[in-house]
Amino acid sequence: MAHRTEFYLYKRKKKNGSYWYVCYLDKESGKQMNAKSIDVLKERLGIGEFRAVTRRDEAVIIAKKALDSGLIFSSEADRPFIDYCIDFWDYENSPYIRARNAAKADSIGKEYAHNMRFFLRKHVEPHIAPKLKLINVQTRHLDNVISEIKEESGLASGTMQLISLSFTLPLKEAYRRGIIKENPALKMLKITRVEKERGCFSYDECISILSYLKAHEKEIYPSYYLAIVLAMLTGMRSGEVRALNIRDIEKSSYNKLWKINIAHSISPYSGLKGTKGKYQRSALIPEELKDALFLNADSSGLALPSRGGGYISSPTLRSIFYSLLDELGITEDVRKERNLTFHSLRHSFSTIGRDKNIAQEDRMAVLGHRSKEVNDRYTHISDETLLRVFSITDDLFSRLWSAEKSADS
């Protein structure tokens, strides 16, 4: 009798190398099952240190051990709860994520899925019995996890809600698919979300930051210098600033004003992607800033390249910005007390606009914070809207520019 193939292996190329994957064949139908990462199976089996498998013979051994251990064909309900949740957020292989993104493109991004897996491994897994099966999960298990995490880490309520979602959504889907007969998450104690007030720089502090940047322009690598200026003068997010390409900058209908079309963002795991909320928007900048960005761009058009090429890093940008604040007397203790971050430049831009009596709808349209009502009204943002919001940029930049001219004369 001919031996029936149980699985087959193949290599999948990714940005940082090639990795082995295995496709098992269903015992009854012979149909191909979803691909599984050999490295993930190795980790689940607890085989040695976690390093990428490079040899085919090693991949075969791991695939066979996973099969023999019952890891592959055991009932989903009998699987360890934590393993089920971690696989649920496997961006490349999760049926749930695939279905959601097929129904609506980019419903669940790679970065979001990665963060959910991070929450599970870092916060949830240490508080769940490794052998607790999905079918045996009870509400008390879930309440205990949240209670222990909160007591141990003191995380903000918003983060706690995300951690909770990392396992409650997989449970909801397991119930919907009939894998479990009851959803224990439905009776969990609710997490009350208490928002900490967002930090914001005052108008005078914004002027001080710009003045410091200009005074120390030659000491700061140009890409980081321009990133801080750009974030303050446009309200762009860090990922949007770092992803900016000069192809996204075009002449506006106003003399000496240029339009940035904000359509992309960069993140560690998703790479180049759309902006948060998927809204493409625009902002005006003065010609002097446009010239500086064009002069700084690399051969690919990246406006703010790093020293070694590619995108500048978020941690380095944040570190340089915090060092600048220290020099201005805004120490780490003050930052934490006031909840000030690089993202606070965005909130400062909006707050200054409010103080200048710029309509909230205009500010929201340029910043990309759109309710359904605002989105309906601002499907195509007019140049007049951009010009009204540009008064924030013009105020900050012109004061700095006039100060420079006075100093030069």
Side-chain angles (χ1 to χ4, degrees):
M1 181 183 294
H3 179 69
R4 183 171 167 179
T5 301
E6 296 175 303
F7 59 82
Y8 68 88
L9 299 164
Y10 72 97
K11 269 193 170 183
R12 183 181 293 178
K13 289 186 178 181
K14 298 186 179 181
K15 287 184 179 180
N16 55 346
S18 297
Y19 299 89
W20 284 106
Y21 279 76
V22 56
C23 281
Y24 291 97
L25 302 181
D26 185 272
K27 290 181 178 179
E28 295 181 2
S29 67
K31 290 183 179 180
Q32 175 184 314
M33 298 170 61
N34 290 330
K36 296 183 182 296
S37 164
I38 287 293
D39 292 318
V40 171
L41 291 179
K42 178 182 176 183
E43 183 181 3
R44 295 283 170 78
L45 291 167
I47 301 175
E49 63 179 14
F50 185 71
R51 59 175 179 77
V53 175
T54 56
R55 302 198 318 271
R56 190 181 191 282
D57 57 346
E58 185 181 2
V60 170
I61 292 171
I62 292 170
K64 183 63 176 172
K65 282 189 175 182
L67 188 62
D68 294 341
S69 70
L71 187 63
I72 305 303
F73 289 107
S74 58
S75 166
E76 279 196 276
D78 291 327
R79 292 188 61 198
F81 170 54
I82 194 66
D83 289 356
Y84 170 79
C85 293
I86 289 173
D87 280 349
F88 180 88
W89 293 110
D90 182 344
Y91 182 78
E92 294 181 336
N93 298 302
S94 167
Y96 175 80
I97 293 177
R98 189 181 303 116
R100 282 284 304 273
N101 287 342
K104 184 179 179 182
D106 299 324
S107 289
I108 299 178
K110 186 181 292 186
E111 195 80 10
Y112 185 80
H114 176 273
N115 287 339
M116 286 300 179
R117 296 188 91 188
F118 171 81
F119 287 142
L120 286 164
R121 292 186 185 281
K122 180 176 175 61
H123 298 293
V124 180
E125 191 168 16
H127 301 283
I128 285 286
K131 294 184 179 180
L132 177 64
K133 295 180 179 180
L134 174 60
I135 197 172
N136 294 331
V137 174
Q138 298 178 23
T139 303
R140 62 181 177 84
H141 295 128
L142 308 179
D143 283 339
N144 287 342
V145 167
I146 293 299
S147 177
E148 290 171 10
I149 294 173
K150 193 166 186 177
E151 183 178 340
E152 181 182 277
S153 62
L155 293 170
S157 57
T159 304
M160 292 300 300
Q161 284 188 329
L162 288 173
I163 292 172
S164 175
L165 190 63
S166 72
F167 59 80
T168 56
L169 189 55
L171 283 169
K172 180 180 178 181
E173 179 64 5
Y175 175 69
R176 188 189 71 83
R177 291 174 55 199
I179 299 171
I180 55 177
K181 296 187 177 181
E182 291 185 2
N183 182 359
L186 293 176
K187 298 179 182 179
M188 278 181 66
L189 294 172
K190 300 297 182 183
I191 300 172
T192 303
R193 181 159 186 165
V194 180
E195 290 284 0
K196 187 175 181 181
E197 186 177 354
R198 295 283 190 176
C200 183
F201 297 101
S202 69
Y203 177 83
D204 289 340
E205 285 173 333
C206 289
I207 295 297
S208 295
I209 291 170
L210 289 171
S211 298
Y212 181 91
L213 284 168
K214 192 59 188 177
H216 298 82
E217 184 176 1
K218 295 182 179 179
E219 302 166 25
I220 304 173
Y221 189 69
S223 290
Y224 294 103
Y225 167 90
L226 289 169
I228 298 171
V229 171
L230 196 58
M232 180 177 290
L233 298 187
T234 64
M236 291 171 67
R237 300 179 178 92
S238 171
E240 295 166 349
V241 167
R242 294 184 292 116
L244 182 64
N245 193 291
I246 58 174
R247 291 192 297 270
D248 300 323
I249 304 175
E250 62 182 11
K251 190 77 176 69
S252 79
S253 58
Y254 300 103
N255 186 38
K256 293 192 174 182
L257 295 184
W258 290 71
K259 182 190 293 186
I260 295 180
N261 296 310
I262 307 166
H264 301 102
S265 183
I266 187 73
S267 61
Y269 298 97
S270 299
L272 194 65
K273 60 178 185 177
T275 61
K276 184 177 180 180
K278 311 297 187 296
Y279 295 127
Q280 181 171 329
R281 61 191 199 279
S282 301
L284 295 177
I285 59 172
E287 192 166 49
E288 295 87 353
L289 181 53
K290 181 275 299 184
D291 290 342
L293 291 168
F294 273 63
L295 185 63
N296 189 65
D298 65 11
S299 58
S300 70
L302 186 60
L304 306 174
S306 67
R307 291 178 187 272
Y311 302 99
I312 56 175
S313 78
S314 179
T316 304
L317 175 58
R318 187 165 56 246
S319 176
I320 290 173
F321 181 61
Y322 288 167
S323 295
L324 181 159
L325 295 182
D326 283 336
E327 293 295 326
L328 295 176
I330 304 176
T331 63
E332 181 179 0
D333 289 340
V334 174
R335 282 193 284 106
K336 289 182 177 179
E337 182 181 349
R338 293 175 55 188
N339 195 22
L340 293 171
T341 64
F342 184 87
H343 195 73
S344 295
L345 294 174
R346 178 173 168 83
H347 292 281
S348 304
F349 180 86
S350 181
T351 301
I352 292 171
R354 180 199 64 195
D355 294 342
K356 289 173 66 66
N357 295 318
I358 295 173
Q360 182 181 12
E361 290 84 357
D362 287 349
R363 287 183 280 121
M364 289 175 69
V366 171
L367 288 169
H369 280 164
R370 301 192 200 174
S371 63
K372 181 182 184 301
E373 292 76 13
V374 175
N375 187 43
D376 290 343
R377 286 183 57 193
Y378 286 84
T379 301
H380 301 288
I381 303 175
S382 69
D383 285 350
E384 289 77 11
T385 297
L386 296 180
L387 189 62
R388 287 193 294 269
V389 179
F390 175 73
S391 65
I392 310 169
T393 306
D394 187 45
D395 187 351
L396 292 170
F397 189 79
S398 63
R399 285 175 180 271
L400 179 63
W401 190 247
S402 62
E404 292 171 29
K405 287 184 177 179
S406 299
D408 291 340
S409 59

